[in-house]
Amino acid sequence: MIRINDILDKILVYNPDAELDVVERAYIYSAQVHAGQMRLSGEPYLSHPLEVAGILVDMKLDVVSVAAGLLHDVIEDTHATAEQLQEMFGQEVCNIVSGVTKLSELSFKSSQARQAESIRKMILAMADDIRVILIKLADRLHNMRTLQFHKEQRRMEIARETLDIYAPISARLGIYWIKYELENTAFFNLYPEAFLTIKTLTAKEKSEREKYIETVKTLIKNKMNESNLECTVLGRYKTFYSIYMKMQTQNLSFDEIYDIIAFRIIIDSISKCYEALGLIHALWKPISGKFKDYIGFPKPNMYQSLHTTVVGPSGEHIEIQIRTWEMDQIAKSGIAAHWSYKEGKRIDEDISKIYGWIQNLVENQASVRDPDEFLENVRIDLFPDDVYVFTPRGEIKALPKGATPIDFAYMIHSEVGDQCTGAKVNGRMVPLQYQLNVGDSVEIITTKGHHPSKDWLNFVKTVKARSKLRQWIKSEEKDRSLSLGREMCEKAFRKQNLNFNTALKSEDMDAVVEHFGFKTVSDLIISVGYGKITPLQIVRKFLPKPVEEGRSLLDKIIGRVRRKKPKGGVTVKGVDDILIRFGNCCQPLPGDAITGYITLGHGVTVHRTSCINALQMNPERQIDVEWHAEVQDTYPVKIRIRSLDRVGLLADVTAIISKSGANILSANTETRENKVVYTFFCIDVNDTAHLKRVLAEIKKVKQVQEAKRIDD
């Protein structure tokens, strides 16, 4: 465990004039309030804030950040209050600690909602002070280093959140050393067998590859010396996780990945970077489409470098990065390299503009209340911008890879997006789903009074475009539901010889609105149009005698479909006789988090909460569903197995599946040129736990490299 004296000594190395008093007082206070608390590892709880502070010192942050790091858990885990922190350490430290603190004391409908609100709060806080997220990253990094002390399910949850949220944030901030450690640790906990396989395969050729690294470094150095270019040449292995992702995304085996080693040339000036690039391309043949100029077009996190992939010695593909010393420092530390550790100073205005994406992220999420949609949008926002295009006036706009003219139109202005009817790219008309490329000049054609199309949701990439489209669709459906709900209520009231318009103006209607939990009469009528309540439920409140409740909730919109018992062990909250279907897109199993969507004429369709199709549906049609513990059933699920071809492979795999108690519904195999076999099964299992056991047994079969659940 790091000691407070070690932390103080490190601060004085990079900031000899630092006022250490606030750090010392923060340490003493943290030790007092955490006294008697223990970590799962058995260590005193104080070890955690000390380790977090140590990581912040390694990032060379100011003393306020280090003090906040020592105090980051005191509001959440001790009797300490924000008011006490403000009084003892000042407003600045208090604000940072409050921003890092989770929303543990508040009540939410689900863990997903809690996670969404915690991340939303963190994003708002980091927009005000970027040090909030730097401390949060240090906190997560140490927690990942001690993840082995958690139970398996909790380890998986933390590791998944780390890959989805915290690793991308560290990349967005340019702190790649944290990104790489978070990814590798999460990878080890989520896919231990794949991690150990890649580690073993890498280690087998380590001595050979080390010789290769020295050979390439010598050749590069000699080539630079010929032109009197002073430089430093470094060679490194790619991380296990980046190798794994390349194997997954490109369907490659380990033997097919040639650029496992990357080389870096660090040189004095930008002009020499381009000169060095010319010399490398003269030495080895460059691979078409593998050159990226991040000096001319820096990444949003300020990362700058020239990237090229060439055919090096022995015909191996090698990636080479060329940058200046200043660029290398930024590449290592990101925003932390620009954070002044001197008292009273802030990030300069230019740096703040570069991190304007944080403010955009805050603005984009302001109107999103659905936790699934919010988390999806955050994940989209956190991936780096890759495509740079031009407006007709020559302004550069950065968009995510795969972005379309619709995304560009909404980036210019919401009205431009809503009224977009066509687009010209480089002077030629293109379809609205055209994917923009670097250097494209884009002109949007608008028509006054035109409205967006729901189909655009199928191909837009930016959060702003998605959010604006969903708002428009929701508004349109709201208007239609208001009209439909009014029509349904008028008809139901007429059947009972009542006048709906008269009822609307009565005081009784206010009581009805309150009874069903709505704020306005319009909200009540819209809910009828959506099918969340029936007109008869409203009529009943205006009748002197009780009447038969009539058809169940949702019947008006889903049709006259009923079941006597829960289908497949799923029940709709508060309703016993609704037809239940499972979404073919995600095939939910007991143990999966699920949600239901009202479907016209087909009852309720059940999806996994993470299903992309469910996330794109109107949240107004969402309804709570749950697994029925008493109903035992089997469920179809698709799995994919990647293995090396051998005699008897399929027979061994099918035998293991049957032995594990799963029934095979269908099977299909594909053998690639590299002798890698992809086998696709649809099998019947009881729940997610059963599926995990089946997959674990399959992975033990000789030559099987991977077995995983897949969606359509």
Side-chain angles (χ1 to χ4, degrees):
M1 181 176 76
I2 192 170
R3 299 175 303 166
I4 186 63
N5 288 337
D6 299 328
I7 291 171
L8 298 174
D9 290 344
K10 285 185 176 182
I11 293 173
L12 291 174
V13 170
Y14 64 80
N15 184 10
D17 301 323
E19 295 288 341
L20 299 179
D21 176 61
V22 67
V23 178
E24 292 172 331
R25 286 189 293 112
Y27 167 70
I28 293 169
Y29 185 75
S30 183
Q32 288 174 345
V33 295
H34 284 302
Q37 294 180 347
M38 305 296 286
R39 300 265 292 171
L40 289 176
S41 61
E43 292 181 300
Y45 195 91
L46 185 63
S47 64
H48 174 60
L50 276 170
E51 292 293 345
V52 169
I55 293 167
L56 297 172
V57 169
D58 290 339
M59 295 163 71
K60 296 183 172 60
L61 296 190
D62 62 328
V63 292
V64 170
S65 300
V66 179
L70 287 165
L71 299 166
H72 77 275
D73 273 339
V74 299
I75 294 178
E76 182 180 345
D77 294 332
T78 77
H79 57 75
T81 65
E83 290 74 21
Q84 290 172 337
L85 288 189
Q86 182 178 343
E87 183 180 343
M88 297 178 68
F89 302 100
Q91 189 65 54
E92 200 174 9
V93 170
C94 179
N95 288 345
I96 294 172
V97 175
S98 296
V100 176
T101 302
K102 297 194 214 87
L103 304 182
S104 56
E105 297 178 2
L106 300 184
S107 175
F108 296 102
K109 289 196 300 184
S110 65
S111 60
Q112 187 89 337
R114 179 185 296 279
Q115 181 195 35
E117 281 306 316
S118 293
I119 291 169
R120 189 196 301 274
K121 179 173 180 281
M122 182 181 70
I123 288 167
L124 290 170
M126 73 190 242
D128 182 58
D129 192 327
I130 195 69
R131 289 174 290 184
V132 167
I133 194 59
L134 297 180
I135 293 170
K136 189 63 184 174
L137 287 175
D139 173 47
R140 178 53 60 111
L141 184 61
H142 183 247
N143 283 333
M144 290 299 288
R145 288 173 178 174
T146 56
L147 197 59
Q148 69 271 23
F149 298 106
H150 285 279
K151 292 182 179 178
E152 182 183 4
Q153 183 60 34
R154 185 62 181 145
R155 283 205 314 271
M156 302 283 276
E157 291 171 359
I158 295 172
R160 173 51 58 195
E161 183 184 57
T162 299
L163 275 185
D164 286 348
I165 304 293
Y166 292 99
I169 284 179
S170 57
R172 268 293 220 163
L173 295 173
I175 313 173
Y176 285 100
W177 70 272
I178 289 183
K179 171 185 183 286
Y180 295 143
E181 186 172 343
L182 289 178
E183 285 181 341
N184 264 3
T185 311
F187 175 37
F188 173 75
N189 283 278
L190 284 171
Y191 310 108
E193 292 185 11
F195 179 93
L196 293 173
T197 298
I198 292 175
K199 183 178 180 180
T200 302
L201 291 170
T202 304
K204 280 182 182 177
E205 305 173 3
K206 191 171 182 182
S207 59
E208 220 174 284
R209 289 189 179 278
E210 284 176 352
K211 290 179 185 176
Y212 185 80
I213 288 174
E214 290 306 313
T215 299
V216 172
K217 283 170 62 177
T218 301
L219 290 171
I220 292 174
K221 191 74 175 173
N222 291 341
K223 189 66 176 178
M224 299 299 133
N225 289 338
E226 288 175 11
S227 297
N228 297 317
L229 288 181
E230 288 291 327
C231 67
T232 297
V233 183
L234 305 171
R236 65 172 180 84
Y237 287 97
K238 288 193 171 182
T239 65
F240 295 160
Y241 182 69
S242 64
I243 294 171
Y244 172 77
M245 287 305 296
K246 191 160 191 175
M247 291 169 65
Q248 293 298 304
T249 56
Q250 299 182 23
N251 284 328
L252 299 173
S253 66
F254 181 83
D255 294 334
E256 292 177 294
I257 299 179
Y258 297 106
D259 53 349
I260 288 175
I261 303 169
F263 293 88
R264 185 177 304 148
I265 301 172
I266 309 174
I267 210 158
D268 291 337
S269 67
I270 291 176
S271 60
K272 289 180 180 178
C273 287
Y274 288 98
E275 187 178 348
L277 176 70
L279 293 173
I280 291 296
H281 284 180
L283 180 63
W284 294 306
K285 183 180 178 181
I287 297 174
S288 177
K290 290 289 187 179
F291 169 66
K292 292 182 179 178
D293 184 354
Y294 292 121
I295 292 179
F297 295 96
K299 290 187 177 183
N301 60 19
M302 299 179 298
Y303 176 88
Q304 288 183 287
S305 189
L306 298 176
H307 288 200
T308 187
T309 303
V310 298
V311 181
S314 306
E316 286 208 27
H317 294 188
I318 54 176
E319 181 186 299
I320 298 176
Q321 302 167 358
I322 307 169
R323 62 180 69 144
T324 66
W325 287 101
E326 183 182 359
M327 293 172 190
D328 190 58
Q329 182 59 37
I330 293 170
K332 288 177 181 175
S333 304
I335 196 170
H338 295 270
W339 185 260
S340 173
Y341 50 73
K342 294 190 172 93
E343 295 301 320
K345 288 195 176 182
R346 292 273 183 161
I347 294 179
D348 62 53
E349 289 185 10
D350 291 337
I351 301 304
S352 296
K353 286 178 183 176
I354 288 172
Y355 285 90
W357 63 269
I358 297 174
Q359 193 59 46
N360 290 337
L361 192 150
V362 171
E363 291 171 2
N364 287 336
Q365 308 314 321
S367 60
V368 180
R369 296 259 61 92
D370 179 69
D372 295 316
E373 182 182 345
F374 170 75
L375 290 174
E376 177 208 8
N377 288 349
V378 169
R379 291 182 186 111
I380 292 170
D381 255 338
L382 289 178
F383 285 97
D385 298 325
D386 247 348
V387 178
Y388 299 86
V389 298
F390 296 91
T391 68
R393 295 182 180 179
E395 297 174 9
I396 297 176
K397 298 291 182 183
L399 290 162
K401 192 171 185 180
T404 66
I406 296 295
D407 295 294
F408 179 85
Y410 276 106
M411 173 173 276
I412 300 302
H413 197 278
S414 298
E415 287 187 11
V416 176
D418 287 345
Q419 298 177 11
C420 176
T421 52
K424 286 184 179 181
V425 173
N426 304 324
R428 300 179 63 181
M429 292 294 296
V430 297
L432 292 178
Q433 60 264 44
Y434 170 85
Q435 293 191 0
L436 299 173
N437 297 304
V438 174
D440 280 346
S441 179
V442 188
E443 179 184 351
I444 300 298
I445 300 166
T446 60
T447 302
K448 198 168 184 179
H450 182 264
H451 297 297
S453 167
K454 188 176 180 178
D455 294 337
W456 292 357
L457 274 176
N458 296 325
F459 55 78
V460 294
K461 296 294 182 184
T462 59
V463 170
K464 184 172 183 180
R466 281 175 179 267
S467 298
K468 292 297 180 185
L469 286 170
R470 281 174 173 158
Q471 284 177 25
W472 182 84
I473 292 166
K474 186 175 180 180
S475 175
E476 286 291 295
E477 290 199 358
K478 201 171 183 179
D479 291 342
R480 284 199 297 268
S481 295
L482 181 61
S483 175
L484 176 61
R486 178 179 286 275
E487 185 181 328
M488 293 167 69
C489 286
E490 287 175 349
K491 187 176 180 181
F493 271 66
R494 277 198 304 271
K495 283 185 177 180
Q496 301 295 334
N497 296 317
L498 296 173
N499 187 301
F500 180 63
N501 290 323
T502 303
L504 280 178
K505 299 172 185 176
S506 69
E507 292 182 1
D508 291 340
M509 184 58 77
D510 295 332
V512 173
V513 170
E514 186 178 349
H515 171 79
F516 285 106
F518 296 102
K519 293 182 179 179
T520 67
V521 175
S522 293
D523 292 338
L524 175 66
I525 298 172
I526 287 168
S527 185
V528 173
Y530 276 131
K532 292 201 167 184
I533 63 173
T534 67
L536 192 55
Q537 288 174 285
I538 299 174
V539 172
R540 187 169 180 264
K541 300 297 179 183
F542 289 89
L543 293 174
K545 297 178 182 178
V547 297
E548 185 183 350
E549 181 65 22
R551 295 181 310 189
S552 66
L553 177 65
L554 313 177
D555 276 354
K556 290 293 181 181
I557 193 160
I558 64 176
R560 304 184 181 189
V561 288
R562 300 173 179 272
R563 295 192 64 87
K564 293 182 180 179
K565 63 178 182 178
K567 159 69 174 171
V570 171
T571 56
V572 178
K573 190 174 180 181
V575 183
D576 297 325
D577 56 355
I578 298 301
L579 179 66
I580 298 293
R581 299 192 313 153
F582 290 106
N584 290 327
C585 46
C586 58
Q587 295 184 315
L589 301 175
D592 288 330
I594 54 174
T595 186
Y597 283 87
I598 304 166
T599 311
L600 184 61
H602 296 288
V604 171
T605 303
V606 178
H607 293 269
R608 287 156 64 188
T609 54
S610 59
C611 174
I612 188 63
N613 291 328
L615 291 170
Q616 290 178 351
M617 292 179 188
N618 185 349
E620 295 291 343
R621 294 190 180 276
Q622 188 175 6
I623 191 165
D624 291 336
V625 294
E626 57 189 7
W627 294 106
H628 197 286
E630 296 177 3
V631 178
Q632 298 297 321
D633 210 339
T634 58
Y635 307 81
V637 63
K638 292 184 175 68
I639 63 172
R640 185 186 72 195
I641 302 168
R642 188 181 74 238
S643 50
L644 298 177
D645 196 14
R646 66 172 176 83
V647 175
L649 173 67
L650 186 58
D652 290 346
V653 170
T654 54
I656 283 293
I657 293 174
S658 298
K659 188 178 178 182
S660 302
N663 183 39
I664 299 173
L665 302 177
S666 65
N668 182 41
T669 63
E670 297 176 9
T671 304
R672 308 282 171 86
E673 293 180 3
N674 54 16
K675 298 296 183 182
V676 173
V677 179
Y678 284 87
T679 311
F680 301 86
F681 286 100
C682 183
I683 61 176
D684 258 344
V685 295
N686 300 326
D687 49 31
T688 53
H690 186 195
L691 176 62
K692 285 180 181 178
R693 291 195 300 272
V694 173
L695 294 176
E697 291 301 315
I698 292 173
K699 289 174 184 176
K700 296 176 184 178
V701 175
K702 184 180 178 183
Q703 299 291 35
V704 169
Q705 298 177 328
E706 179 194 52
K708 64 184 293 187
R709 178 182 184 178
I710 60 171
D711 298 330
D712 278 342

